[in-house]
Every structure is written in structure tokens, then in C-alpha cells.
Amino acid sequence: MLIFTFAGEVHANTVSRTNSSNLLQVVSRANDMSNFLKVTVNEDSLQVDAINEIQQWKDRDSESKFENIGSLVIDKSSRTTDISSNGELKLVDISKPLLRFDFEKLHVINERQVLGLRTRKKLRPKKVTIRDMVVSAAIWNQGSFGKQYDAAVGNVEIVQGNVTGNAGYFNSSSQMGVYSFGPHRGGGIISYSILFRTSQKAEVILIHFGQSWETNSDKNK
């Protein structure tokens, strides 16, 4: 038996599957109609395509443009149900870390698109603002949630680590933020593992959820 569940208005498109059955949960962000799902139902199959805006509507003489960024296909034409997925709708492996940052390299922030992190004129802005700091670099998320949870960073230096590979060097003005990060609520179980070293004793906040994002200092750009 195949059960299909839709949940909406969140920060990411995800498809997850239970370990013991063909129960699927498909989550669509669909904010501002810049990204949505197209569902095609056939006699013995069902296909879901993630459609993303690649050119914004500016005035009545222009038009928005969209592209397919991922697909989920459920084929029941044989005795066994075949489920295949790719791109933005690739099945999420929830047995592995959803977010993982290794600090091996800094990237330009618009090298990979974070859906929803946009300005009035740009779908992939060259800079964003985190708590009044304008930043243009990012650390890519290596976890199961992929590029939607890339972290924008400012005043973070990549240095040689003491355990494995490189590390991020943070000072008192450093910023690192994940745009798609959801709120932490009582009763929800969230687990973090952070490997860090300090040079002095002080009280710090390592993980914080709050409203601190702007796409840039001038929202018209």
C-alpha cells in the first residue's frame, strides 16, 4: 500500500520514506510561487516534479522562467512498487546527519542557490546580511538536506585543524547562519555534535535561532 502525504509552507523540498514500507512524505516549500511541485497521475504511476523559478517577473513586458530541479517517480506497473528520485526530490537519508559542515573550503554565496534567499531583483544574491554584517561567502552543507541548508559566513577563516582536515577560525565578530533553519520548540528532539577548541574561558551561545536575516542592506537591489 502506498500512502502519499503533502505538507507545505516550509523552507525546503524534501522526500522521506519509512524504513519498513512505501510510506512517503513529500514536503513542498512553495513560498511566493517561486518554487512549486507539479504532480502527474497516470494509471499505474505517479510523478512529482519540483519546478523552480530561474528568472523573476519584473514588469508587464517581462515574464518569469522556470526549470525542473528534481523528480520523484512512483511506478506500480509491476508486482513491486518502484520508487526513484533525483535532484531536489532525492530521498532524504534521515539515518545520517541532516546538516554537516566540514570547513574545508569557502565558496561564493551564490555559487549554489538557497531557495527563498533572494532579493526583489535577484534570485541568487551575491551578498546577504546577518545581524548587520554583509557577507558574500558560504560553507556548503555536506549533510542529507544538501544545498538548501548551506551556511552564509562572515569573518570566518579556514585554518588547519588538529583532528581531521581543516577548521573554521571564529573571532568575536564572526557570523555563520543557515537561512532555512527552522524554529526550536519545546518537545522537539534535536541533536547537535560540535567539535571546537577555545583559547580562553568565556560564556558563549553556540547555536541560536532568531530573526536576523536580510538579503542585503538595500532591499531594492
Side-chain angles (χ1 to χ4, degrees):
M1 180 178 180
L2 183 67
I3 301 176
F4 211 64
T5 304
F6 287 97
E9 295 308 319
V10 292
H11 287 289
N13 300 305
T14 57
V15 182
S16 55
R17 178 182 180 179
T18 59
N19 294 327
S20 58
S21 71
N22 288 327
L23 175 63
L24 294 176
Q25 175 176 274
V26 178
V27 177
S28 170
R29 54 179 307 279
N31 303 82
D32 301 322
M33 289 303 294
S34 63
N35 185 261
F36 57 91
L37 298 184
K38 173 186 175 183
V39 181
T40 304
V41 181
N42 297 311
E43 185 176 351
D44 52 13
S45 68
L46 185 148
Q47 179 168 332
V48 182
D49 295 303
I51 310 298
N52 183 49
E53 187 177 20
I54 58 174
Q55 177 178 301
Q56 290 175 287
W57 179 88
K58 297 179 181 179
D59 51 50
R60 57 185 175 184
D61 295 323
S62 66
E63 62 180 18
S64 299
K65 292 184 179 180
F66 297 84
E67 68 176 0
N68 187 309
I69 57 171
S71 297
L72 168 70
V73 178
I74 304 160
D75 188 347
K76 301 191 70 176
S77 58
S78 60
R79 291 185 177 181
T80 58
T81 300
D82 181 43
I83 299 174
S84 60
S85 61
N86 61 70
E88 195 74 13
L89 298 182
K90 183 178 181 180
L91 284 169
V92 174
D93 187 351
I94 59 175
S95 67
K96 297 180 179 179
L98 303 179
L99 277 67
R100 183 173 69 85
F101 303 101
D102 57 18
F103 295 96
E104 288 299 315
K105 182 180 178 181
L106 287 174
H107 297 267
V108 178
I109 198 168
N110 63 349
E111 190 173 342
R112 301 205 300 188
Q113 182 183 12
V114 175
L115 302 177
L117 186 58
R118 53 188 289 184
T119 68
R120 292 180 181 177
K121 294 184 178 181
K122 296 180 180 179
L123 292 169
R124 299 171 70 164
K126 295 181 179 180
K127 57 185 179 181
V128 297
T129 302
I130 309 176
R131 294 190 175 274
D132 298 323
M133 176 185 288
V134 178
V135 303
S136 58
I139 298 289
W140 284 2
N141 174 34
Q142 307 295 335
S144 297
F145 272 172
K147 64 181 181 180
Q148 186 61 24
Y149 285 77
D150 287 351
V153 295
N155 285 351
V156 175
E157 181 183 355
I158 303 299
V159 298
Q160 178 63 44
N162 290 336
V163 181
T164 58
N166 292 335
Y169 179 80
F170 289 71
N171 57 46
S172 59
S173 65
S174 297
Q175 296 284 358
M176 178 175 178
V178 178
Y179 173 77
S180 298
F181 216 56
H184 291 25
R185 295 188 175 93
I189 300 175
I190 303 175
S191 176
Y192 294 97
S193 176
I194 305 175
L195 180 64
F196 65 95
R197 186 183 68 175
T198 62
S199 58
Q200 60 186 20
K201 293 183 178 180
E203 183 175 321
V204 297
I205 297 175
L206 296 177
I207 298 174
H208 164 72
F209 170 79
Q211 197 74 10
S212 60
W213 285 88
E214 291 183 17
T215 45
N216 55 38
S217 56
D218 182 355
K219 292 182 178 295
N220 292 320
K221 294 183 178 179

